[in-house]
């Protein structure tokens, strides 16, 4: 009976695995995009800190 059940559900299991793999790929892509945005924000933060330091050294207050 167990083998018959496996055979009966096999197409649904395969479809589920395909959909799961697709969602995993989409999530990985979103994670990569977020990491890229985080890196760009870090670069901008560093640039702001550098500009603030230059302003302070020039005696200019924010």
């Amino acid at each position: 009976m167990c083998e018959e059940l496996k055979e009966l559900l096999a197409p649904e299991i395969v479809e589920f695995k395909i959909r799961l793999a697709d969602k995993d790929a989409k999530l990985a892509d979103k994670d990569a995009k977020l990491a890229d945005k985080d890196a760009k924000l870090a670069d901008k933060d560093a640039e702001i800190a550098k500009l603030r330091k230059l302003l302070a050294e020039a005696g200019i207050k924010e």
Side-chain angles (χ1 to χ4, degrees):
M1 170 116 177
C2 186
E3 287 301 316
E4 291 173 357
L5 187 58
K6 284 181 185 178
E7 288 180 28
L8 184 65
L9 294 176
E12 286 82 6
I13 292 170
V14 169
E15 177 64 29
F16 177 77
K17 287 181 179 181
I18 291 169
R19 284 188 285 153
L20 185 61
D22 184 48
K23 287 187 180 200
D24 284 346
K26 287 178 182 177
L27 284 174
D29 185 49
K30 286 182 180 181
D31 285 345
K33 287 179 183 178
L34 284 173
D36 185 49
K37 286 181 180 182
D38 286 345
K40 287 178 183 177
L41 284 173
D43 289 344
K44 287 181 181 183
D45 286 344
E47 183 67 20
I48 289 170
K50 178 182 170 184
L51 293 172
R52 284 183 173 160
K53 182 180 176 188
L54 289 173
L55 287 172
E57 289 173 353
I60 301 170
K61 294 184 180 183
E62 293 182 47

